[in-house]
């Protein structure tokens, strides 16, 4: 071997050792329940791999996928704790890494992760009260989801758009997004039922727990928007559907089930008062919103990560 080739071999072995150290530290810190410290070693290991293999190597792309997913998960955990700066920095890293000039060369995987990142950025800005910025990111997420086969079911994005538009007072478009979410969830439940050999109607809620939970939220959001638009009878029917799904998925005593039941009872009371006023030739009541809206539509995305 020449002197240069020996130096190259020693340099390569040094890089391999650094990768092993970072991988071991990442695994150890994950087991210790220290995800942020673990993420630092995952990031360092990613850049050592880039130095060793080059930016286009599949190994670099695979580690980048894990890193981007971790950034999204920890960002939303930080957002729930109101640690907005950390959440923003992590989401910006995920946004950069899922760009077309990033290290993830498989477009299907990259777009799936980018849709998740845009959705979570939408939730971030919604939580901060920057609703127009939230709409922009959620629209980006939905555009990706509607044009790519590999992404998750976009029902969650439609529900995030519904909640954001509702806060802006745009109840017509908000209702449309909630109804889109419902149609997607029912179609998915039907598809899964058929693939399992059963005869399942679209209204059947024997979907997996996650999708069934989102189904209850979809029905609830539809009901709230129908109330805002003065569609009282339709709203009562939607609340009834939401409550039935919630009791099945969460149980009658769950806080979200109780929130839906409270909204349903209040809506029935409002409808009764409205009918009473109409019968006395008194003008109709104004729009009403569930006082427990925050429980059912939290600021961070809970059904997709």
């Amino acid at each position: 071997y020449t002197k240069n080739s020996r130096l190259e071999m020693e340099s390569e072995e040094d890089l391999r050792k650094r990768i092993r150290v970072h991988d071991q530290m990442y695994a150890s810190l994950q087991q210790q329940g220290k995800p942020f410290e673990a993420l630092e070693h995952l990031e360092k290991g990613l850049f050592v791999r880039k130095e060793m293999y080059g930016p286009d190597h599949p190994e670099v792309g695979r580690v980048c996928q894990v890193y981007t997913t971790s950034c999204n998960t920890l960002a939303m955990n930080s957002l729930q704790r109101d640690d907005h700066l950390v959440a923003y920095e992590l989401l910006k890293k995920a946004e950069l890494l899922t760009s077309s000039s990033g290290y993830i060369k498989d477009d299907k995987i990259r777009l799936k992760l980018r849709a998740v990142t845009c959705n979570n950025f939408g939730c971030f800005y919604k939580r901060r009260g920057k609703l127009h910025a939230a709409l922009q990111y959620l629209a980006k997420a939905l555009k990706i989801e509607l044009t790519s086969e590999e992404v998750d079911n976009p029902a969650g994005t439609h529900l995030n758009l519904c909640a954001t538009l509702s806060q802006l007072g745009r109840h017509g478009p908000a209702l449309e997004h909630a109804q889109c979410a419902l149609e997607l969830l029912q179609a998915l439940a039907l598809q899964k039922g058929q693939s399992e050999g059963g005869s399942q109607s679209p209204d059947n809620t024997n979907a997996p727990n996650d999708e069934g939970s989102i189904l209850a939220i979809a029905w609830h959001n539809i009901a709230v928007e129908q109330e805002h638009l003065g569609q009282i009878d339709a709203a009562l029917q939607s609340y009834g559907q939401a409550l039935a799904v919630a009791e099945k998925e969460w149980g009658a005593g769950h806080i979200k089930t109780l929130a839906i039941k409270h909204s349903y009872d209040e809506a029935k009371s409002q409808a009764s008062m409205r009918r009473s006023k109409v019968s006395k030739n008194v003008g109709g009541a104004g729009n009403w919103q569930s006082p427990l809206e925050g429980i059912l539509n939290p600021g961070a995305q809970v059904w997709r990560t």
Side-chain angles (χ1 to χ4, degrees), residues 189-194 196 198-207:
L190 179 61
Q191 181 183 353
K192 288 193 173 182
Q194 290 173 341
E196 291 166 5
S199 57
Q200 193 168 358
S201 71
D203 290 328
N204 194 313
T205 54
N206 288 329

Side-chain angles (χ1 to χ4, degrees), residues 168-300:
L168 286 166
R170 296 168 60 184
H171 300 296
L175 177 58
E176 290 175 8
H177 280 291
Q179 289 170 330
C180 284
L182 178 64
E183 290 171 8
L184 287 166
L185 290 165
Q186 289 179 331
L188 185 62
L190 179 61
Q191 181 183 353
K192 288 193 173 182
Q194 290 173 341
S195 66
E196 291 166 5
S199 57
Q200 193 168 358
S201 71
D203 290 328
N204 194 313
T205 54
N206 288 329
N209 190 29
D210 212 22
E211 281 135 17
S213 298
I214 304 173
L215 188 63
I217 294 169
W219 275 117
H220 166 268
N221 286 12
I222 287 171
V224 170
E225 299 312 314
Q226 286 170 331
E227 273 202 281
H228 278 300
L229 294 167
Q231 301 170 13
I232 307 306
D233 291 337
L236 290 175
Q237 291 181 358
S238 298
Y239 273 127
Q241 293 277 9
L243 184 59
V245 177
E247 288 176 343
K248 177 182 180 297
E249 294 296 334
W250 298 320
H254 193 280
I255 186 171
K256 290 186 177 181
T257 306
L258 293 173
I260 290 174
K261 187 176 187 304
H262 179 86
S263 297
Y264 190 18
D265 290 343
E266 285 289 325
K268 286 189 284 189
S269 175
Q270 292 282 333
S272 177
M273 289 171 59
R274 189 176 283 106
R275 290 191 187 100
S276 176
K277 287 180 179 180
V278 168
S279 68
K280 296 175 183 177
N281 288 326
V282 177
N287 287 331
W288 174 86
Q289 184 174 1
S290 166
L292 299 174
E293 177 73 13
I295 296 175
L296 294 161
N297 285 306

Side-chain angles (χ1 to χ4, degrees), residues 79-99:
L79 185 61
Q80 293 285 9
R81 297 194 304 271
D82 290 325
D83 196 343
H84 297 144
L85 181 59
V86 170
Y88 178 80
E89 290 175 347
L90 289 168
L91 288 174
K92 286 304 288 186
K93 286 184 178 182
E95 185 178 34
L96 180 65
L97 290 170
T98 55
S99 68

Side-chain angles (χ1 to χ4, degrees), residues 55-225:
D56 297 331
H57 195 278
E59 178 73 9
V60 175
R62 282 194 292 270
V63 175
C64 192
Q65 291 172 38
V66 177
Y67 181 75
T68 303
T69 301
S70 297
C71 282
N72 271 287
T73 301
L74 293 178
M76 301 318 285
N77 290 344
S78 299
L79 185 61
Q80 293 285 9
R81 297 194 304 271
D82 290 325
D83 196 343
H84 297 144
L85 181 59
V86 170
Y88 178 80
E89 290 175 347
L90 289 168
L91 288 174
K92 286 304 288 186
K93 286 184 178 182
E95 185 178 34
L96 180 65
L97 290 170
T98 55
S99 68
S100 57
S101 59
Y103 303 137
I104 302 172
K105 301 307 174 184
D106 185 325
D107 259 355
K108 290 181 178 178
I109 294 172
R110 181 182 69 80
L111 288 171
K112 179 175 182 176
L113 288 170
R114 192 161 185 82
V116 171
T117 302
C118 289
N119 211 318
N120 287 339
F121 244 135
C123 293
F124 171 84
Y125 282 116
K126 179 176 177 289
R127 181 77 167 254
R128 298 296 306 275
K130 298 181 178 180
L131 300 179
H132 289 97
L135 278 183
Q136 289 180 350
Y137 271 102
L138 291 171
K140 286 180 185 178
L142 189 61
K143 183 178 179 181
I144 294 170
E145 290 169 340
L146 293 177
T147 55
S148 175
E149 295 177 358
E150 294 297 312
V151 299
D152 294 330
N153 192 291
T157 307
H158 279 295
L159 290 176
N160 286 333
L161 278 162
C162 167
T164 306
L165 287 163
S166 185
Q167 282 188 249
L168 286 166
R170 296 168 60 184
H171 300 296
L175 177 58
E176 290 175 8
H177 280 291
Q179 289 170 330
C180 284
L182 178 64
E183 290 171 8
L184 287 166
L185 290 165
Q186 289 179 331
L188 185 62
L190 179 61
Q191 181 183 353
K192 288 193 173 182
Q194 290 173 341
S195 66
E196 291 166 5
S199 57
Q200 193 168 358
S201 71
D203 290 328
N204 194 313
T205 54
N206 288 329
N209 190 29
D210 212 22
E211 281 135 17
S213 298
I214 304 173
L215 188 63
I217 294 169
W219 275 117
H220 166 268
N221 286 12
I222 287 171
V224 170
E225 299 312 314

